[in-house]
Amino acid sequence: MTELPRYEYVKLADAIAADIASGKLPQGAALPGERAMTDLYGVSIGTVRRAIVELRKRGLVATLPAKGTYVIGMPESDGDARKGDGSNV
């Protein structure tokens, strides 16, 4: 059976979460700015913003207005948090 297609912002959030899990983006590290991320990942600013909201929902990053977005947590290894179905409660 084939996997359902995913939204671009979810793919981007998953890629950033993988960088956090691997240690490439350690706790306390600042993510690149939104405009820099559009160039880095080849996506629109709206996609970047939605990906950051998704990462905040997962508890991986926090955004400080006029300061930036910072890594605050590690992804769960079982992937339940990514599904958003409440099964990780």
Side-chain angles (χ1 to χ4, degrees):
M1 191 161 122
T2 61
E3 189 174 317
L4 291 172
R6 297 182 302 153
Y7 290 109
E8 286 300 313
Y9 78 93
V10 175
K11 292 179 190 177
L12 178 56
D14 288 346
I16 295 169
D19 286 347
I20 294 169
S22 73
K24 185 176 177 183
L25 285 171
Q27 192 163 9
L31 269 58
E34 290 177 345
R35 299 260 180 228
M37 289 176 77
T38 62
D39 294 334
L40 186 63
Y41 294 104
V43 296
S44 72
I45 190 115
T47 299
V48 169
R49 288 178 178 161
R50 287 186 74 178
I52 291 171
V53 168
E54 177 68 20
L55 291 168
R56 281 199 301 260
K57 286 180 183 177
R58 296 181 193 182
L60 301 179
V61 301
T63 302
L64 300 172
K67 293 291 184 183
T69 301
Y70 298 87
V71 176
I72 60 166
M74 293 293 286
E76 294 183 14
S77 59
D78 60 8
D80 285 342
R82 183 176 22 168
K83 294 178 186 171
D85 61 2
S87 63
N88 62 333
V89 179

